[in-house]
């Protein structure tokens, strides 16, 4: 996200008060300075994100890094794409693939993927470069292989709606079959449609 004017941004931290985080654009150059509670930087940055959960992405040139509320660098400038932290995670990427960064500044997935979503119930929905979908957990373990047509729908860890070769089924987070693929559609409310009939497959709590 490119900033076009001086802005003052505060992102509430869980269990604490917002930190002072003011971004000022240089009057003549495409660069930004940051003012915190204790320090004001020079116009060093080509882009600056929001301070969320005590961290923010910043860019120098075309590469991004993350800094803390005191502007201490938490990562090197290695990312081509960076986003704000949300609930302990941020999506990052290079020119080809995306990955997920945790609050300890560790990249989670063992391989880069084409697309991914922030975790739901500890599960990360990912899309491979061959256009198929699967799931990893927040420890980097593959839970569902990347063999599904569309993003799996996580109801909970025991109930995940999947579609393979245009028919639907239900698996758990170990990819064990709960209802075999063969339904024309399965709703988030647990109704499966097959051969002109609706069947109750699960109750959503």
């Amino acid at each position: 996200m490119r900033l076009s004017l001086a802005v003052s941004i505060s992102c509430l931290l869980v269990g604490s008060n917002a930190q002072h985080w003011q971004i000022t654009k240089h009057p003549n150059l495409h660069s930004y300075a940051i003012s915190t509670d204790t320090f004001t930087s020079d116009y060093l940055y080509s882009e600056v994100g929001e301070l969320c959960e005590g961290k923010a992405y910043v860019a120098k040139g075309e590469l991004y890094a993350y800094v803390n509320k005191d502007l201490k660098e938490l990562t090197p400038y290695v990312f081509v794409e960076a986003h704000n932290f949300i609930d302990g995670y941020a999506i990052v990427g290079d020119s080809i693939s995306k990955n997920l960064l945790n609050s300890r500044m560790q990249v989670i997935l063992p391989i880069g993927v084409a697309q991914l979503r922030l975790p739901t119930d500890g599960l990360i929905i990912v899309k491979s470069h061959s256009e198929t979908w699967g799931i990893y957990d927040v420890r980097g373990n593959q839970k569902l292989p990347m063999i599904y047509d569309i993003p799996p729908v996580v109801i909970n860890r025991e109930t995940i709606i999947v579609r393979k070769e245009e028919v639907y089924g239900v698996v758990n987070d170990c990819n064990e079959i709960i209802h075999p693929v063969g339904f024309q559609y399965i709703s988030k409310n647990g109704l499966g449609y097959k051969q002109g009939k609706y069947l109750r497959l699960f109750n959503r709590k």
Side-chain angles (χ1 to χ4, degrees), residues 167-178:
V167 287
Y168 291 79
V170 178
V171 300
N172 64 17
D173 71 337
C174 294
N175 204 42
E176 296 170 337
I177 296 171
I178 308 302

Side-chain angles (χ1 to χ4, degrees), residues 147-164:
I147 60 174
Y148 296 108
D149 302 342
I150 62 175
V153 178
V154 177
I155 306 302
N156 53 53
R157 283 182 170 264
E158 296 300 319
T159 309
I160 302 172
I161 302 170
V162 295
R163 194 183 82 174
K164 184 178 180 182

